[in-house]
Amino acid sequence: MPKSARRCTLFILLYTCCCLQVNARQAGNRISITGRQLSLQSIFSKIQEQTGYYFSYNADIDVAQLMDVHFNNESLTIVLNTVLLPRYAWELDGHSINLKKALPGPATVKRYPPFNDTPALVMGRTLDETVIIAYGTTTQRVTTAICSWPVKVPTIARQVTTNPLLTLQGRVPGLLVTQSGGIGGSAVKVQLRGRNSLVNGTQPLYVIDGIPYNPVITGGLGSFIWGDKASAFNFINPDDVESIDVMKDADATAIYGSRGANGVILITTSKGKAGKAVIRAVVSTSLSHTARKVKLLNTSQYLDMRREAFKHDGVSPNQRNAPDLLLWDPQRYTDWQHELIGGTGHITSTQLSVSGGNDNYLYRLSGHYRKEHLVFPGSFGSTRGGLHISMSGKSTDQRFEANFSGSFLADNSDLPGSDFTSMIMLPPNAPPAYLDDGSLNYSWLNPYIGLIGPSFEGAVKNVLANVGLQYRILPGLILKTTMGYNWLTGRSAVLSPLAIIPPLLRNGRSGSSQHYRYEAISRIIEPQATYRLTKGSWQLHGLLGGTIQGYQEMRESLNADGFEDDALLRNIYYADSVYGKLESGAYRYVALFGRFGLNYQNRYLMNLSIRRDGSSRFGPRKQFASFGAIGTAWIFSEEPFMTPLKKVISFGKIRASYGTTGNDQIGDYQYLGEYNKADGAYQGVTGLKPVRLFNADFAWELTRKSEVALDLGFLHDRLLLSASYYLHRSSNQLISYPLPDITGAGSIIGNLPAVIRNNGLELSLSVERIQHNKLIWRSSFNISFGHNKLISYPDPTIPVEAVNPFVEGQALSQQYVATAMGVDPQTGTYQFADAENHPVPAAKAVENKAMDVAPFWYGGWVNNLDLGPFSMEILLHFVRQKGVNTTFDPDYMPGYQRNQYAVVQSRWQQPGDITDRQRYTQNGTLWSGYRKAMKSDLGYEDASFLRVRHVEVNWSFPKTTLRRLHLQEGKLYIQGQNLFTITRYKGLDPETQLRGTLPPLRVFTCGLKIAL
């Protein structure tokens, strides 16, 4: 950790500890509520806002009951007794206020025994559950913005994954989370409501406890498996996350200005809970293995393919071009899928925490340890551990509050230099991996050489710290400041020992190593002032604040060659030559923001937000920009004309919003001119040549968001339905303009007034509680339909650097491919359609068939079942999409010395055959047709899937057992992830759609949770 980081962290800790030396005397919450004809539900909402408690109650509680109230700084007990007794009884249970119809007799709380915190309707977990929004909180009932139901601790803690983003799969409407592999640290693609940019980033803005968090480790520390964009979320402990909230529309994201175009994901870490000290421990062990295998040719089929290829090509096999036919054992069979990715991985995980406090002081301290062994052969895996601390304190008069949260995680990973999945297509009759004496067999391309090298050794550390200070100077007026710090650093080495070279070829050779270092430091401070005022039926709230943020990133790589001894590879001092490069960048950001909200009679709601941004990523004449939004809502279920329908439609709200946000995921210094070394030298001096010109008007990409939504609650909110339609128009696209040679530079990056439209419909339906005897069922279903379209591209002469060219009027994900027309019955070569739909060879094919690989619709269905001490959760995740047909090997045609998917057996064999697979070949004469086939409609297939993403069964200890063991809670659980997938996809995995990458694994876990 750098000195500046240590000093900053030490200062924050000392300063916070000083602030938290407050009197810990128990003091009751004070409530102020004044109004005429307020509903009981409205009173509950106000109490929740002022205390943080939520209400739990059955459907027999008349929350529509109206009353006049006037409480000024009264205790919680007095307020509840006044509004509830003698009709209802109440009990305080942790952060829950449980309500129940009163029994006949004197009106006293103590005469009622404790009752469950799981009644038929739980106010605090449905419409009136606290939802985290930008710089504050609200509830689903009174929000005007489109905020997803938060994913909470129980859901996040159930996941075996090390990446908390994967807990969102299938749970949030409009959010598509896609894994790129089955190993922790691999990139995770997150897209919220479509793609808003032609060539720049479309990831949401991530904020952890108020700290913007960069989701990517650029360069991946040199790991081939992690990839160039390793996920930085792999180094956040999911067990320390309390909730994840997703912001979607302009009303929710415009206050983040130039960073909110792609949505915002707010992550809140765990905090202490009031009550006596509770020690919680979770211990689990897991087994993992590859969930799906592809059907490959066996030895007999493989050898037939090879012989047929030589026959069709008119070539005689010899020991040089066909060792598999003439030298290798024709009876030998090795299932390389089983050998290389068919092992069993092991995960051991422990989590220990202690938390408690009172009205004035809360604390939580936790630690975790995890060790994982991969499914690959060898001892590859990772070990990680860390600490998390959270403290908050209030003064005795409740006016001053200070809080601190911090976390540290260290991860050590030992991975192979390449993914063994890329070698499962080796010939099935390949020679043994080891000789009779136990040494490696170097006579062929032996995958087990990968156990020696290249290998990847990486160590990553992540520190997050946040301090919040606030003071209530007047009733309703609060001054607040938050300060955040993040330090993410990593070191790694990729070792290529001399031992990977066959012994007979080592003379004159040497080992080598590559060393990488990464460091990112982020600092932020945000002073704020909030004001709340209740005047009769009017509720007003305002927010004014500012942001100052700095971010620095450094990447260093060193290459060391000439090691004579493999034991010295980690020490570059012993290398013959060392060379490398250092890259660094800095980002500065300032902003002013404000929000004003209005609530009249809990029926008519309005919210205005505005932000003025300044960013170092934009040109000097465009460094500042303004963004804003308006959101409105009408809770029509509170209108008098809805009274007769209250028993059926218990809640109804119409929402609408419009606003502007920006996209700054454009990289640093892109507006500056760029120079490269010139070719050659003049008088022994190497010069520079311009590559890109300076652009002072380099500006942000702008997205205009509009939305309308309907929320309905039926049968006392037991059934909740939400429907949202959104329309996003993104313009001011940043692209590289080509320049004529006379300018001396090849290009200049500027804004093009191209317009991208994303529109879609999101539906969600949740069943809060249905009970039959002891069986309780809760369910939540969501489905999203999205469409993307490039509706305007003003200058088609300007090319865009992209894998597939963009076409005005079509989706960005759409590409045009050739139409395959089978193979020529006489020659066995691929044929394609020309402009008149006649079969022609590849060279004359026309690529005019539209192929869109973006999902058509996707969603998830969660079901929870409780039966006595048993509980179960099942998550189904589904996607409707087209995908890449991985039965086509991009490097080896069927007939080469490489195994193939079994589907290639439907090939052409003799004149007159009608099929869609060309003949076998062992040379390159048919490459043009094969490559065109991969880029035709043959190269894509249905990749839709329904996946059982998560299943968990819990058994809670009986109360007698808990008392005997002196436990507050005890639970045994078993769970499975990625249990099975229903799909027509022929490849390894329809989600990743990659041929040589380990897919998401099937994981079985058994664990124990206890609380003392």
Side-chain angles (χ1 to χ4, degrees):
M1 183 183 295
K3 289 184 177 179
S4 60
R6 291 198 297 266
R7 290 170 182 168
C8 180
T9 304
L10 181 61
F11 170 78
I12 290 174
L13 284 168
L14 292 175
Y15 187 72
T16 304
C17 290
C18 292
C19 293
L20 295 182
Q21 297 304 311
V22 296
N23 191 335
R25 177 177 60 86
Q26 177 73 23
N29 289 275
R30 315 304 291 185
I31 310 296
S32 296
I33 305 175
T34 301
R36 296 179 58 84
Q37 295 300 291
L38 296 181
S39 68
L40 197 57
Q41 193 167 64
S42 175
I43 295 172
F44 291 166
S45 298
K46 294 179 184 297
I47 293 174
Q48 180 181 336
E49 290 176 4
Q50 298 180 36
T51 66
Y53 292 112
Y54 63 78
F55 286 81
S56 301
Y57 52 86
N58 287 304
D60 56 1
I61 305 296
D62 183 12
V63 294
Q65 176 186 345
L66 302 177
M67 63 182 71
D68 298 337
V69 296
H70 179 73
F71 300 112
N72 184 20
N73 203 32
E74 293 286 357
S75 70
L76 176 61
T77 301
I78 292 177
V79 173
L80 292 176
N81 285 341
T82 303
V83 301
L84 296 174
L85 299 180
R87 190 174 180 186
Y88 305 117
W90 65 274
E91 179 189 54
L92 187 60
D93 179 16
H95 266 49
S96 170
I97 300 173
N98 300 335
L99 305 184
K100 185 177 181 180
K101 277 202 123 180
L103 300 174
T108 172
V109 177
K110 294 183 179 179
R111 71 184 300 274
Y112 296 97
F115 38 88
N116 246 337
D117 189 18
T118 53
L121 177 64
V122 183
M123 179 179 177
R125 297 174 189 167
T126 52
L127 295 175
D128 292 279
E129 178 181 10
T130 298
V131 176
I132 307 295
I133 59 172
Y135 310 107
T137 61
T138 184
T139 66
Q140 291 285 1
R141 183 181 300 276
V142 297
T143 182
T144 58
I146 308 298
C147 306
S148 70
W149 295 99
V151 180
K152 292 281 192 175
V153 171
T155 299
I156 301 170
R158 290 187 180 111
Q159 310 301 311
V160 184
T161 176
T162 57
N163 193 322
L165 295 181
L166 297 180
T167 64
L168 302 176
Q169 287 185 304
R171 297 181 185 272
V172 180
L175 183 68
L176 194 61
V177 181
T178 306
Q179 293 179 253
S180 65
I183 299 177
S186 301
V188 174
K189 181 182 178 182
V190 180
Q191 196 160 78
L192 184 60
R193 291 184 165 180
R195 179 177 167 186
N196 295 313
S197 179
L198 289 175
V199 295
N200 293 301
T202 59
Q203 287 256 24
L205 170 67
Y206 300 94
V207 181
I208 303 177
D209 286 342
I211 308 170
Y213 189 73
N214 184 2
V216 171
I217 298 179
T218 306
L221 286 173
S223 170
F224 178 86
I225 290 180
W226 284 354
D228 190 56
K229 296 185 180 297
S231 177
F233 276 99
N234 186 60
F235 309 106
I236 298 291
N237 180 28
D239 291 328
D240 292 333
V241 175
E242 185 168 277
S243 68
I244 303 178
D245 296 78
V246 181
M247 312 286 104
K248 303 177 185 179
D249 69 335
D251 187 26
T253 61
I255 200 167
Y256 286 102
S258 61
R259 303 176 295 175
N262 304 308
V264 182
I265 296 180
L266 304 179
I267 299 177
T268 305
T269 59
S270 298
K271 306 295 188 293
K273 307 297 182 184
K276 67 177 184 179
V278 177
I279 300 175
R280 297 183 183 276
V282 181
V283 180
S284 67
T285 182
S286 305
L287 300 177
S288 61
H289 61 270
T290 307
R292 181 181 169 90
K293 294 177 65 175
V294 292
K295 189 175 181 181
L296 305 178
L297 300 178
N298 59 32
T299 299
S300 174
Q301 295 165 338
Y302 168 79
L303 295 178
D304 287 345
M305 174 188 73
R306 291 282 287 151
R307 295 186 185 102
E308 188 175 315
F310 279 99
K311 177 183 175 182
H312 287 316
D313 292 339
V315 177
S316 298
N318 55 53
Q319 293 184 1
R320 184 181 181 87
N321 62 18
D324 51 342
L325 293 178
L326 301 178
L327 298 178
W328 297 353
D329 184 356
Q331 304 302 319
R332 182 177 178 81
Y333 173 72
T334 302
D335 182 353
W336 290 113
Q337 288 187 90
H338 175 75
E339 293 292 325
L340 300 180
I341 63 173
T344 299
H346 302 273
I347 303 172
T348 301
S349 177
T350 59
Q351 175 88 9
L352 182 67
S353 67
V354 56
S355 66
N358 52 43
D359 286 347
N360 284 350
Y361 182 72
L362 299 173
Y363 64 90
R364 183 180 187 271
L365 175 66
S366 68
H368 74 278
Y369 173 81
R370 175 188 170 105
K371 186 172 184 179
E372 180 175 3
H373 179 270
L374 302 182
V375 298
F376 296 147
S379 57
F380 300 108
S382 65
T383 303
R384 61 191 296 171
L387 296 171
H388 176 77
I389 184 172
S390 173
M391 300 181 294
S392 65
K394 297 179 181 179
S395 61
T396 54
D397 61 2
Q398 307 290 301
R399 300 183 69 175
F400 175 74
E401 180 178 345
N403 58 72
F404 167 78
S405 65
S407 65
F408 170 78
L409 185 144
D411 179 280
N412 291 311
S413 297
D414 183 7
L415 303 175
S418 61
D419 195 326
F420 281 98
T421 313
S422 62
M423 292 178 276
I424 64 173
M425 308 301 290
L426 290 172
N429 70 326
Y434 293 92
L435 301 176
D436 293 338
D437 61 2
S439 61
L440 276 172
N441 186 351
Y442 287 91
S443 67
W444 63 291
L445 190 61
N446 188 346
Y448 285 89
I449 296 176
L451 300 179
I452 301 175
S455 62
F456 170 84
E457 299 173 356
V460 179
K461 297 177 182 177
N462 194 14
V463 174
L464 282 162
N466 174 270
V467 170
L469 305 172
Q470 71 175 48
Y471 185 75
R472 176 167 51 85
I473 59 176
L474 293 171
L477 178 60
I478 296 176
L479 297 182
K480 179 181 180 181
T481 296
T482 61
M483 297 169 282
Y485 177 82
N486 176 221
W487 176 62
L488 177 63
T489 184
R491 290 178 177 270
S492 68
V494 178
L495 309 178
S496 300
L498 183 63
I500 66 176
I501 302 174
L504 296 178
L505 302 178
R506 291 177 188 172
N507 189 26
R509 308 288 288 273
S510 61
S512 64
S513 61
Q514 293 81 44
H515 301 262
Y516 300 87
R517 187 163 69 94
Y518 176 89
E519 183 176 66
I521 298 176
S522 178
R523 305 176 183 89
I524 188 171
I525 180 170
E526 293 187 307
Q528 303 162 45
T530 61
Y531 183 70
R532 289 184 177 272
L533 175 66
T534 300
K535 204 76 172 176
S537 299
W538 293 88
Q539 299 176 43
L540 310 175
H541 63 87
L543 165 70
L544 183 64
T547 300
I548 302 174
Q549 182 189 355
Y551 179 80
Q552 296 169 267
E553 186 176 89
M554 181 275 296
R555 299 185 299 276
E556 181 183 41
S557 62
L558 291 174
N559 293 274
D561 298 325
F563 289 97
E564 299 297 335
D565 189 337
D566 288 346
L568 303 175
L569 286 174
R570 295 171 182 81
N571 191 339
I572 62 174
Y573 177 81
Y574 295 98
D576 286 345
S577 65
V578 178
Y579 57 96
K581 64 177 180 178
L582 175 67
E583 299 174 290
S584 63
Y587 164 63
R588 298 292 183 268
Y589 176 85
V590 295
L592 291 174
F593 57 86
R595 180 169 60 212
F596 173 77
L598 177 66
N599 181 336
Y600 178 64
Q601 291 186 340
N602 279 328
R603 301 179 190 174
Y604 312 107
L605 312 171
M606 184 183 70
N607 191 68
L608 297 171
S609 57
I610 189 170
R611 191 177 188 105
R612 178 71 173 170
D613 271 356
S615 173
S616 64
R617 288 178 174 168
F618 305 132
R621 290 199 289 260
K622 295 290 186 179
Q623 281 193 327
F624 291 89
S626 297
F627 305 89
I630 180 172
T632 60
W634 173 37
I635 304 179
F636 59 85
S637 57
E638 295 295 316
E639 297 290 352
F641 65 79
M642 290 294 295
T643 303
L645 300 176
K646 272 287 187 181
K647 290 185 178 181
V648 179
I649 303 178
S650 52
F651 178 75
K653 180 171 71 172
I654 297 175
R655 294 174 286 150
S657 66
Y658 176 80
T660 58
T661 58
N663 180 23
D664 72 344
Q665 296 180 37
I666 53 179
D668 297 316
Y669 313 122
Q670 295 298 302
Y671 66 90
L672 294 176
E674 182 180 353
Y675 293 82
N676 285 345
K677 287 196 303 183
D679 298 330
Y682 177 72
Q683 294 185 350
V685 178
T686 302
L688 298 176
K689 62 179 181 181
V691 176
R692 185 180 67 213
L693 294 184
F694 169 78
N695 183 3
D697 295 311
F698 184 95
W700 57 93
E701 296 181 339
L702 183 67
T703 297
R704 294 177 173 86
K705 298 181 178 182
S706 54
E707 184 148 8
V708 62
L710 174 66
D711 298 327
L712 294 174
F714 302 93
L715 306 175
H716 296 285
D717 298 342
R718 292 187 182 181
L719 185 67
L720 297 174
L721 173 67
S722 179
S724 303
Y725 177 79
Y726 64 89
L727 175 64
H728 297 176
R729 293 172 63 92
S730 303
S731 59
N732 227 25
Q733 298 292 312
L734 280 166
I735 66 169
S736 179
Y737 285 80
L739 296 176
D741 292 339
I742 195 173
T743 64
S747 66
I748 183 173
I749 298 180
N751 297 94
L752 178 74
V755 180
I756 301 169
R757 184 183 71 192
N758 284 283
N759 63 297
L761 176 67
E762 297 170 1
L763 301 173
S764 63
L765 176 67
S766 63
V767 177
E768 182 58 31
R769 180 186 176 100
I770 292 180
Q771 183 169 356
H772 178 70
N773 296 328
K774 293 184 178 182
L775 179 64
I776 302 171
W777 173 55
R778 296 180 301 277
S779 183
S780 178
F781 176 84
N782 73 84
I783 187 170
S784 303
F785 305 85
H787 182 65
N788 172 277
K789 188 176 183 180
L790 178 61
I791 61 176
S792 174
Y793 195 88
D795 191 348
T797 64
I798 300 176
V800 177
E801 295 181 4
V803 177
N804 300 298
F806 303 121
V807 178
E808 187 175 273
Q810 304 297 331
L812 298 182
S813 55
Q814 182 169 294
Q815 50 193 294
Y816 285 93
V817 299
T819 302
M821 300 190 74
V823 300
D824 188 324
Q826 299 304 314
T827 63
T829 59
Y830 282 117
Q831 296 183 122
F832 307 91
D834 63 7
E836 277 125 27
N837 206 34
H838 296 146
V840 294
K844 299 180 180 180
V846 176
E847 296 180 345
N848 59 2
K849 184 173 183 178
M851 184 66 63
D852 192 352
V853 294
F856 305 118
W857 43 264
Y858 52 91
W861 187 17
V862 184
N863 287 277
N864 296 89
L865 298 170
D866 297 329
L867 181 61
F870 296 96
S871 63
M872 173 184 285
E873 180 183 86
I874 303 174
L875 169 61
L876 304 180
H877 179 209
F878 54 85
V879 179
R880 178 74 172 91
Q881 63 184 357
K882 287 277 189 181
V884 177
N885 185 350
T886 57
T887 62
F888 283 92
D889 190 323
D891 301 313
Y892 301 91
M893 286 187 289
Y896 276 50
Q897 190 178 320
R898 196 78 166 185
N899 205 357
Q900 297 285 335
Y901 284 35
V903 295
V904 302
Q905 293 181 98
S906 62
R907 80 290 184 191
W908 182 94
Q909 300 181 66
Q910 58 187 5
D913 283 353
I914 306 298
T915 182
D916 62 352
R917 293 275 177 175
Q918 74 174 14
R919 65 176 175 86
Y920 293 152
T921 181
Q922 50 80 50
N923 58 34
T925 56
L926 302 184
W927 263 118
S928 60
Y930 186 78
R931 290 195 181 99
K932 182 64 69 174
M934 287 191 293
K935 295 182 179 180
S936 73
D937 53 356
L938 273 182
Y940 298 88
E941 63 172 320
D942 185 3
S944 305
F945 65 88
L946 170 65
R947 173 166 287 166
V948 181
R949 181 73 66 179
H950 177 82
V951 174
E952 180 174 338
V953 178
N954 293 275
W955 175 70
S956 298
F957 292 2
K959 292 182 179 180
T960 55
T961 304
L962 293 176
R963 285 194 297 266
R964 187 165 56 250
L965 298 177
H966 304 287
L967 298 177
Q968 294 190 32
E969 179 187 3
K971 186 179 292 185
L972 284 172
Y973 69 92
I974 57 173
Q975 66 174 226
Q977 289 193 333
N978 301 323
L979 289 185
F980 62 88
T981 303
I982 301 174
T983 182
R984 296 178 180 174
Y985 191 69
K986 300 182 184 70
L988 273 172
D989 182 63
E991 180 182 350
T992 59
Q993 298 175 26
L994 296 173
R995 183 182 177 93
T997 301
L998 186 71
L1001 301 175
R1002 178 183 294 138
V1003 184
F1004 296 97
T1005 302
C1006 178
L1008 170 67
K1009 302 177 184 179
I1010 60 172
L1012 301 175

PDB file of all heavy atoms in Angstrom, residues 412-424:
ATOM      1  N   ASN A 412      -4.788 -14.464  -3.875  1.00  0.00           N
ATOM      2  CA  ASN A 412      -3.641 -15.067  -4.557  1.00  0.00           C
ATOM      3  C   ASN A 412      -4.150 -16.146  -5.499  1.00  0.00           C
ATOM      4  O   ASN A 412      -4.843 -17.081  -5.058  1.00  0.00           O
ATOM      5  CB  ASN A 412      -2.670 -15.679  -3.544  1.00  0.00           C
ATOM      6  CG  ASN A 412      -1.972 -14.624  -2.710  1.00  0.00           C
ATOM      7  OD1 ASN A 412      -1.447 -13.652  -3.249  1.00  0.00           O
ATOM      8  ND2 ASN A 412      -1.958 -14.802  -1.400  1.00  0.00           N
ATOM      9  N   SER A 413      -3.834 -16.003  -6.757  1.00  0.00           N
ATOM     10  CA  SER A 413      -4.322 -16.932  -7.776  1.00  0.00           C
ATOM     11  C   SER A 413      -3.161 -17.617  -8.484  1.00  0.00           C
ATOM     12  O   SER A 413      -2.138 -16.986  -8.790  1.00  0.00           O
ATOM     13  CB  SER A 413      -5.177 -16.194  -8.820  1.00  0.00           C
ATOM     14  OG  SER A 413      -6.333 -15.641  -8.231  1.00  0.00           O
ATOM     15  N   ASP A 414      -3.322 -18.899  -8.724  1.00  0.00           N
ATOM     16  CA  ASP A 414      -2.355 -19.711  -9.459  1.00  0.00           C
ATOM     17  C   ASP A 414      -3.122 -20.389 -10.585  1.00  0.00           C
ATOM     18  O   ASP A 414      -3.878 -21.343 -10.352  1.00  0.00           O
ATOM     19  CB  ASP A 414      -1.710 -20.730  -8.524  1.00  0.00           C
ATOM     20  CG  ASP A 414      -0.632 -21.550  -9.214  1.00  0.00           C
ATOM     21  OD1 ASP A 414      -0.300 -21.235 -10.367  1.00  0.00           O
ATOM     22  OD2 ASP A 414      -0.127 -22.518  -8.594  1.00  0.00           O
ATOM     23  N   LEU A 415      -2.947 -19.891 -11.794  1.00  0.00           N
ATOM     24  CA  LEU A 415      -3.744 -20.350 -12.935  1.00  0.00           C
ATOM     25  C   LEU A 415      -2.832 -20.844 -14.051  1.00  0.00           C
ATOM     26  O   LEU A 415      -1.669 -20.429 -14.150  1.00  0.00           O
ATOM     27  CB  LEU A 415      -4.619 -19.206 -13.459  1.00  0.00           C
ATOM     28  CG  LEU A 415      -5.570 -18.545 -12.469  1.00  0.00           C
ATOM     29  CD1 LEU A 415      -6.269 -17.367 -13.120  1.00  0.00           C
ATOM     30  CD2 LEU A 415      -6.594 -19.543 -11.942  1.00  0.00           C
ATOM     31  N   PRO A 416      -3.362 -21.707 -14.908  1.00  0.00           N
ATOM     32  CA  PRO A 416      -2.567 -22.113 -16.068  1.00  0.00           C
ATOM     33  C   PRO A 416      -2.405 -20.947 -17.035  1.00  0.00           C
ATOM     34  O   PRO A 416      -3.183 -19.995 -17.038  1.00  0.00           O
ATOM     35  CB  PRO A 416      -3.389 -23.251 -16.685  1.00  0.00           C
ATOM     36  CG  PRO A 416      -4.787 -23.012 -16.207  1.00  0.00           C
ATOM     37  CD  PRO A 416      -4.668 -22.383 -14.852  1.00  0.00           C
ATOM     38  N   GLY A 417      -1.368 -21.053 -17.862  1.00  0.00           N
ATOM     39  CA  GLY A 417      -1.131 -19.982 -18.820  1.00  0.00           C
ATOM     40  C   GLY A 417      -2.182 -19.898 -19.903  1.00  0.00           C
ATOM     41  O   GLY A 417      -2.335 -18.857 -20.546  1.00  0.00           O
ATOM     42  N   SER A 418      -2.915 -20.975 -20.118  1.00  0.00           N
ATOM     43  CA  SER A 418      -4.002 -20.980 -21.098  1.00  0.00           C
ATOM     44  C   SER A 418      -5.113 -21.882 -20.579  1.00  0.00           C
ATOM     45  O   SER A 418      -4.905 -22.691 -19.676  1.00  0.00           O
ATOM     46  CB  SER A 418      -3.518 -21.455 -22.465  1.00  0.00           C
ATOM     47  OG  SER A 418      -3.019 -22.782 -22.383  1.00  0.00           O
ATOM     48  N   ASP A 419      -6.271 -21.736 -21.167  1.00  0.00           N
ATOM     49  CA  ASP A 419      -7.438 -22.511 -20.749  1.00  0.00           C
ATOM     50  C   ASP A 419      -7.350 -23.917 -21.343  1.00  0.00           C
ATOM     51  O   ASP A 419      -7.273 -24.086 -22.564  1.00  0.00           O
ATOM     52  CB  ASP A 419      -8.710 -21.807 -21.230  1.00  0.00           C
ATOM     53  CG  ASP A 419      -9.962 -22.331 -20.552  1.00  0.00           C
ATOM     54  OD1 ASP A 419     -10.019 -23.531 -20.242  1.00  0.00           O
ATOM     55  OD2 ASP A 419     -10.886 -21.523 -20.328  1.00  0.00           O
ATOM     56  N   PHE A 420      -7.364 -24.928 -20.495  1.00  0.00           N
ATOM     57  CA  PHE A 420      -7.296 -26.314 -20.976  1.00  0.00           C
ATOM     58  C   PHE A 420      -8.484 -26.668 -21.874  1.00  0.00           C
ATOM     59  O   PHE A 420      -8.421 -27.644 -22.625  1.00  0.00           O
ATOM     60  CB  PHE A 420      -7.237 -27.285 -19.796  1.00  0.00           C
ATOM     61  CG  PHE A 420      -5.887 -27.404 -19.167  1.00  0.00           C
ATOM     62  CD1 PHE A 420      -5.563 -26.689 -18.024  1.00  0.00           C
ATOM     63  CD2 PHE A 420      -4.923 -28.227 -19.713  1.00  0.00           C
ATOM     64  CE1 PHE A 420      -4.317 -26.800 -17.431  1.00  0.00           C
ATOM     65  CE2 PHE A 420      -3.665 -28.350 -19.138  1.00  0.00           C
ATOM     66  CZ  PHE A 420      -3.361 -27.625 -17.997  1.00  0.00           C
ATOM     67  N   THR A 421      -9.564 -25.883 -21.790  1.00  0.00           N
ATOM     68  CA  THR A 421     -10.732 -26.162 -22.629  1.00  0.00           C
ATOM     69  C   THR A 421     -10.383 -26.059 -24.109  1.00  0.00           C
ATOM     70  O   THR A 421     -11.005 -26.725 -24.953  1.00  0.00           O
ATOM     71  CB  THR A 421     -11.870 -25.185 -22.294  1.00  0.00           C
ATOM     72  OG1 THR A 421     -12.023 -25.108 -20.885  1.00  0.00           O
ATOM     73  CG2 THR A 421     -13.182 -25.610 -22.918  1.00  0.00           C
ATOM     74  N   SER A 422      -9.397 -25.223 -24.428  1.00  0.00           N
ATOM     75  CA  SER A 422      -9.013 -25.052 -25.831  1.00  0.00           C
ATOM     76  C   SER A 422      -8.343 -26.293 -26.409  1.00  0.00           C
ATOM     77  O   SER A 422      -8.101 -26.355 -27.621  1.00  0.00           O
ATOM     78  CB  SER A 422      -8.073 -23.848 -25.961  1.00  0.00           C
ATOM     79  OG  SER A 422      -6.874 -24.064 -25.232  1.00  0.00           O
ATOM     80  N   MET A 423      -8.038 -27.289 -25.564  1.00  0.00           N
ATOM     81  CA  MET A 423      -7.332 -28.490 -26.044  1.00  0.00           C
ATOM     82  C   MET A 423      -8.184 -29.750 -25.981  1.00  0.00           C
ATOM     83  O   MET A 423      -7.654 -30.858 -26.126  1.00  0.00           O
ATOM     84  CB  MET A 423      -6.054 -28.677 -25.245  1.00  0.00           C
ATOM     85  CG  MET A 423      -5.016 -27.588 -25.511  1.00  0.00           C
ATOM     86  SD  MET A 423      -3.499 -27.766 -24.534  1.00  0.00           S
ATOM     87  CE  MET A 423      -3.991 -26.979 -23.006  1.00  0.00           C
ATOM     88  N   ILE A 424      -9.495 -29.616 -25.753  1.00  0.00           N
ATOM     89  CA  ILE A 424     -10.329 -30.814 -25.671  1.00  0.00           C
ATOM     90  C   ILE A 424     -10.568 -31.447 -27.044  1.00  0.00           C
ATOM     91  O   ILE A 424     -11.091 -32.556 -27.128  1.00  0.00           O
ATOM     92  CB  ILE A 424     -11.687 -30.507 -25.014  1.00  0.00           C
ATOM     93  CG1 ILE A 424     -12.499 -29.521 -25.870  1.00  0.00           C
ATOM     94  CG2 ILE A 424     -11.505 -29.974 -23.600  1.00  0.00           C
ATOM     95  CD1 ILE A 424     -13.911 -29.308 -25.375  1.00  0.00           C
TER      96      ILE A 424
END
